[in-house]
Amino acid sequence: MIVTTTPTLEGYTIKEYKGIVSGEVIFGMNFVKDFFASFHDKWGGRSSGYEKSMIEGRETAQAEMEKRAKDMGANAIVGVSYGYETMGENGSMLMVAISGTAVVID
């Protein structure tokens, strides 16, 4: 399945618009990641634990969106947008949401 942030696909014609499709994932950030991230906050650097979690969340949300689009009969998704939001007590949960328009291309 082709997934793009653009509203069209060069070299393809959109034959049918199936509708808006989305994928969402909410997951907890555990205390070990928080503990090691606090060192990065203090001395700088990247937090690989958080980065891995965000990548996993994004990939899972996109896979969910692609499955929903396929179930609608689409073979591509255009106009895709991602969003991240912290939730829960002290921002202990992270939500990754993705949406786009499911289409049939030729």
Side-chain angles (χ1 to χ4, degrees):
M1 176 158 310
I2 297 174
V3 178
T4 182
T5 59
T6 61
T8 60
L9 289 165
E10 188 173 336
Y12 295 92
T13 302
I14 296 176
K15 296 290 187 182
E16 185 179 355
Y17 289 85
K18 294 293 192 173
I20 296 171
V21 65
S22 65
E24 304 82 16
V25 175
I26 300 174
F27 55 96
M29 305 302 271
N30 67 38
F31 76 94
V32 175
K33 288 179 189 167
D34 288 342
F35 176 74
F36 287 111
S38 69
F39 288 108
H40 294 291
D41 287 344
K42 195 171 205 167
W43 291 291
R46 296 170 63 168
S47 174
S48 63
Y50 280 133
E51 288 176 358
K52 288 177 185 175
S53 292
M54 291 186 73
I55 290 167
E56 181 181 330
R58 186 185 72 240
E59 289 173 349
T60 302
Q62 183 169 331
E64 183 177 298
M65 179 184 68
E66 288 180 23
K67 182 187 179 315
R68 290 176 180 170
K70 185 178 179 182
D71 290 347
M72 295 168 74
N75 62 357
I77 306 169
V78 297
V80 172
S81 176
Y82 289 93
Y84 298 90
E85 183 72 37
T86 57
M87 305 173 73
E89 189 175 318
N90 300 322
S92 61
M93 306 286 283
L94 180 66
M95 177 180 70
V96 180
I98 181 174
S99 63
T101 303
V103 297
V104 175
I105 58 173
D106 187 30

